[in-house]
């Protein structure tokens, strides 16, 4: 589903590469934690998958496509196969929960019949049924993140990318979000999640890829956050 | 493509950016109004040329006893020379019509022309005025060919082109037109910068929305179209105001003020205005559309 071959990424302003000869292979339906300290290259890793960045060297394959050979106008199609969740939720404050989720479908040209059918389904899935008419600032952080997950998943992407989705949440709320991501993973969606949250990684016991200074220093099938744990 | 979505985005964008949009509309309106006025002046010059060139004649003044030019040598034209000259003028292919004006005819016309200044008329006798051939050319621009052929003929005092008298006036109008077009050009330049800036601010103020659109895989067209249409819409509204100004110019300045007070010439008709208005809309649309398009390419990349 995702394959990075000897990928190097150097940003113009820096000397040290953000990613240095990284090779990772992620199968369809896997749940992968991407761990490492700040600046280790996690975000660059995720941005490469979306073709928000292009590698300085090596190849990136996503959903069977070589991104280097993906023409500019096909990038939106690639991104429709990938859902994204962020630490800061990135909801539109002037739209309701329903409108926020519907927005993701509207802007890819889906009709209102589809929207009226699919959005309630996904809100139900993330546990927000009955809150469709609320505004984001009326919701708790955990609920807002559920809206963001609903928006990322409403188009049934093959891959879900989560960049520290629990970074702004307390531990109890984080567990709820992780359960939700786990449920989404069980529908066959590949999940790649960058995180600092040791407790979560340790409790989930999923594959862990650790980055340090742009290099893969560990790739464990049922790993924990750190060596010591 | 869902039209309702795009339309609601345009509405949101225009409202959020109202002051800038008003500035764009005003600038576009002023620049296009000047542009239209410049074109209208050109039409007016054309109309006047058609009107006057149809009437202007070449005057071939004949030597009288008092003529001072070297060609006359102080002697009046003989009847034979006059007949010869008239025949030659009539057989020149460029000439449409020849009309002989005797001293008496010239005096009658002089009296008519200066009937408000009896003192002047009293001091002039028919003998003091030159006799002439009034020559109507098929093509008034061919004056020089005729003039050079007859200027040195015996008994010809002077060949005068009435068209030359109009040239100065046309020059004035052309300068006016040039001035209007230059100011319009400067204004259009300012309008382009303003549109570009407005679109940039609009793109910045909606970066949350466009960021999400990019992430969920909205196509470039979907992301950029609302901004593009916003710019084009502002341009079209500006063109609408400019057209209104042009119609007012024609209705008030030309029809109400100039026509009754200076009936000596023809003025541009409504069809000239009607031919300029679509041009203003087209220019307004292209102007704002292109300015928006190139700004978006720089500031809203996928």
């Amino acid at each position: 589903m995702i394959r990075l071959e000897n990928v190097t990424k150097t940003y113009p302003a820096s000397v040290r590469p953000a990613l240095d000869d990284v090779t990772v292979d992620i199968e369809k339906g896997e749940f992968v934690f991407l761990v490492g300290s700040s600046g280790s290259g996690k975000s660059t890793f995720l941005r490469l998958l979306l073709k928000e960045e292009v590698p300085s060297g090596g190849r990136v394959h996503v959903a069977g496509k070589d991104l280097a050979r993906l023409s500019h106008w096909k990038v939106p199609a690639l991104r429709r196969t990938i859902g994204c969740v962020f630490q800061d939720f990135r909801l539109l404050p002037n739209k309701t929960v329903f409108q926020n989720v519907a927005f993701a479908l509207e802007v890819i040209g889906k009709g209102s019949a589809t929207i009226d059918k699919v959005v309630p389904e996904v809100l139900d899935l993330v546990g927000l049924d009955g809150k469709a008419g609320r505004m984001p600032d009326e919701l708790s952080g955990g609920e807002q993140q559920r809206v963001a997950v609903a928006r990322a998943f409403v188009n049934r992407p093959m891959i879900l990318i989560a960049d520290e989705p629990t970074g702004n949440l307390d531990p109890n709320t984080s567990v709820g979000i992780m359960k939700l991501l786990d449920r989404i993973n069980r529908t066959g969606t590949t999940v790649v999640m960058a995180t600092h949250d040791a407790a979560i990684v340790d409790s989930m016991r999923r594959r862990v890829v650790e980055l340090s200074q742009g290099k893969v220093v560990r790739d464990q099938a049922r790993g924990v956050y750190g060596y010591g744990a | 493509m869902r039209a309702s979505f795009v339309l609601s985005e345009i509405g949101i964008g225009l409202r959020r950016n109202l002051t800038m949009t008003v500035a764009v509309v005003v600038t576009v309106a002023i620049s296009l109004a000047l542009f239209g006025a410049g074109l209208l002046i050109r039409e007016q010059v054309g109309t006047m040329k058609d009107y006057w060139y149809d009437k202007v004649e070449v005057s071939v003044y004949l030597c009288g006893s008092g003529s001072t030019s070297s060609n006359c040598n102080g002697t009046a034209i003989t009847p034979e020379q006059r007949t010869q000259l008239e025949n030659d003028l009539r057989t020149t292919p460029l000439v449409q019509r020849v009309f002989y004006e005797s001293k008496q005819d010239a005096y009658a016309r002089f009296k008519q022309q200066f009937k408000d200044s009896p003192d002047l008329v009293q001091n002039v006798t028919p003998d003091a005025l030159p006799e002439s051939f009034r020559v109507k050319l098929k093509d008034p621009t061919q004056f020089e060919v005729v003039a050079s052929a007859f200027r040195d003929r015996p008994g010809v005092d002077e060949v005068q082109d009435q068209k030359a008298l109009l040239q100065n006036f046309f020059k004035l109008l052309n300068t006016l037109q040039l001035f209007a077009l230059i100011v319009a050009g400067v204004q259009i330049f300012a309008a382009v910068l303003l549109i570009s800036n407005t679109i940039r601010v609009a793109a910045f103020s909606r970066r949350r929305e466009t960021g999400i659109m990019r992430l969920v895989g909205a196509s470039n067209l979907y992301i950029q179209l609302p901004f593009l249409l916003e710019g084009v819409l502002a341009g079209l509204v500006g063109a609408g105001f400019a057209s209104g100004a042009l119609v007012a110019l024609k209705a008030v300045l030309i029809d109400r003020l100039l026509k009754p007070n200076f009936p000596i010439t023809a003025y541009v008709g409504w069809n000239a205005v009607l031919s300029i208005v679509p041009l203003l809309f087209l220019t307004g649309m292209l102007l704002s559309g292109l300015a928006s398009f190139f700004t978006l390419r720089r500031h809203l990349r996928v």
Side-chain angles (χ1 to χ4, degrees):
Chain A
M1 182 58 54
I2 298 171
R3 192 161 81 244
L4 277 72
E5 290 170 17
N6 309 106
V7 170
T8 300
K9 172 69 188 177
T10 311
Y11 289 105
S14 70
V15 188
R16 189 181 66 78
L19 286 181
D20 189 0
D21 196 22
V22 169
T23 300
V24 175
D25 209 331
I26 297 171
E27 295 296 321
K28 180 169 167 45
E30 266 195 282
F31 195 119
V32 179
F33 284 115
L34 210 54
V35 302
S37 55
S38 298
S40 60
K42 301 191 297 292
S43 292
T44 301
F45 188 106
L46 297 181
R47 290 170 66 81
L48 285 173
L49 303 184
L50 291 162
K51 210 180 175 185
E52 289 216 61
E53 301 286 350
V54 288
S56 319
R59 294 215 168 278
V60 181
H61 296 263
V62 175
K65 295 187 191 81
D66 181 353
L67 297 197
R69 289 158 71 171
L70 194 69
S71 62
H72 189 67
W73 60 275
K74 280 186 175 166
V75 171
L78 166 78
R79 290 182 185 158
R80 287 177 199 193
T81 66
I82 304 173
C84 286
V85 180
F86 301 93
Q87 183 174 3
D88 54 359
F89 319 138
R90 300 200 188 169
L91 300 178
L92 299 175
N94 53 348
K95 289 189 193 293
T96 64
V97 169
F98 184 94
Q99 287 167 341
N100 262 286
V101 179
F103 186 73
L105 294 172
E106 281 171 346
V107 301
I108 58 173
K110 290 276 163 51
S112 53
T114 314
I115 290 172
D116 288 340
K117 179 176 169 296
V118 174
V119 174
E121 279 176 13
V122 81
L123 286 179
D124 200 26
L125 177 83
V126 301
L128 283 175
D129 44 319
K131 300 204 168 163
R134 300 286 192 89
M135 299 304 281
D137 59 7
E138 298 167 0
L139 302 177
S140 70
E143 286 169 330
Q144 288 187 45
Q145 192 61 295
R146 283 170 191 271
V147 179
V149 172
R151 183 179 65 195
F153 191 62
V154 70
N155 198 29
R156 306 288 155 157
M158 289 191 273
I159 299 165
L160 187 77
I161 287 176
D163 195 354
E164 307 203 21
T166 60
N168 275 352
L169 305 176
D170 64 66
N172 283 336
T173 314
S174 299
V175 170
I177 294 293
M178 289 317 297
K179 279 189 179 149
L180 178 57
L181 291 181
D182 188 47
R183 198 185 313 154
I184 284 172
N185 176 236
R186 284 177 203 281
T187 66
T189 305
T190 310
V191 178
V192 183
M193 171 171 160
T195 187
H196 279 133
D197 197 328
I200 281 173
V201 177
D202 293 348
S203 66
M204 294 279 286
R205 286 284 169 169
R206 297 300 189 101
R207 182 175 169 191
V208 174
V209 174
E210 183 174 350
L211 290 170
S212 177
Q213 303 219 321
K215 287 179 190 295
V216 177
V217 294
R218 180 163 61 106
D219 190 345
Q220 253 181 314
R222 299 176 67 78
V224 293
Y225 187 80
Y227 285 115
Chain B
M1 186 61 58
R2 295 185 54 209
S4 61
F5 171 77
V6 175
L7 287 180
S8 79
E9 285 289 300
I10 294 173
I12 292 170
L14 286 179
R15 247 174 296 138
R16 206 184 274 192
N17 232 347
L18 194 63
T19 50
M20 292 284 270
T21 309
V22 169
V24 168
V25 168
V26 169
T27 317
V28 169
I30 292 174
S31 56
L32 289 182
L34 282 167
F35 180 55
L39 294 181
L40 203 62
I41 291 174
R42 204 182 61 177
E43 291 283 330
Q44 176 63 26
V45 169
T47 308
M48 289 175 95
K49 273 185 181 164
D50 286 348
Y51 180 80
W52 282 108
Y53 282 8
D54 208 41
K55 296 187 167 39
V56 294
E57 294 164 338
V58 173
S59 301
V60 180
Y61 291 106
L62 307 179
C63 293
S65 49
S67 298
T68 50
S69 81
S70 58
N71 207 29
C72 290
N73 259 333
T75 52
I77 188 167
T78 64
E80 294 78 38
Q81 283 174 331
R82 199 171 61 206
T83 313
Q84 180 66 37
L85 192 65
E86 183 167 2
N87 282 336
D88 288 352
L89 278 169
R90 284 192 198 285
T91 50
T92 303
L94 287 167
V95 170
Q96 194 178 45
R97 190 154 49 72
V98 178
F99 164 73
Y100 172 70
E101 190 182 72
S102 68
K103 286 177 186 289
Q104 281 302 329
D105 295 336
Y107 183 65
R109 201 158 62 89
F110 184 84
K111 274 205 298 195
Q112 172 63 26
Q113 230 168 4
F114 294 97
K115 61 177 185 285
D116 295 335
S117 324
D119 290 351
L120 189 66
V121 176
Q122 267 177 0
N123 284 325
V124 171
T125 59
D127 218 33
L129 293 170
E131 53 184 330
S132 64
F133 284 112
R134 302 272 151 164
V135 180
K136 179 94 185 75
L137 299 182
K138 282 175 184 155
D139 176 0
T141 59
Q142 294 295 316
F143 163 76
E144 201 45 50
V145 179
V146 178
S148 62
F150 288 94
R151 192 177 288 138
D152 297 328
R153 293 286 292 266
V156 173
D157 186 5
E158 195 189 357
V159 181
Q160 198 187 58
D161 186 11
Q162 291 181 339
K163 184 159 63 71
L165 303 173
L166 288 173
Q167 291 299 2
N168 285 332
F169 185 59
F170 289 151
K171 248 185 227 160
L172 176 78
L173 281 181
N174 279 333
T175 312
L176 213 60
Q177 181 206 3
L178 187 70
F179 184 71
L181 289 183
I182 288 174
V183 177
V186 173
Q187 280 283 327
I188 284 174
F189 179 67
V192 165
L193 293 185
L194 200 59
I195 290 166
S196 160
N197 215 23
T198 305
I199 296 294
R200 214 172 66 186
V201 170
F204 184 76
S205 72
R206 270 184 282 165
R207 65 195 183 284
R208 264 175 194 278
E209 281 89 343
T210 52
I212 290 164
M213 286 165 104
R214 275 159 30 84
L215 273 177
V216 300
S219 63
N220 250 350
L221 186 71
Y222 235 97
I223 298 175
Q224 298 186 351
L225 199 64
F227 294 100
L228 195 69
L229 291 182
E230 240 176 85
V232 170
L233 196 67
L236 287 180
V237 172
F241 281 121
S243 304
L246 208 61
V247 167
L249 188 76
K250 160 72 178 152
V252 177
L253 186 70
I254 293 182
D255 287 356
R256 282 261 190 83
L257 291 174
L258 289 176
K259 231 180 207 173
N261 295 324
F262 302 94
I264 48 155
T265 182
Y267 290 99
V268 285
W270 280 107
N271 56 342
V273 178
L274 286 182
S275 68
I276 293 173
V277 164
L279 202 63
L280 293 188
F281 275 97
L282 191 72
T283 312
M285 199 174 73
L286 281 180
L287 190 81
S288 50
L290 289 177
S292 309
F293 177 74
F294 285 108
T295 312
L296 287 172
R297 272 176 45 131
R298 278 187 55 201
H299 294 281
L300 259 191
R301 268 170 306 166
V302 171

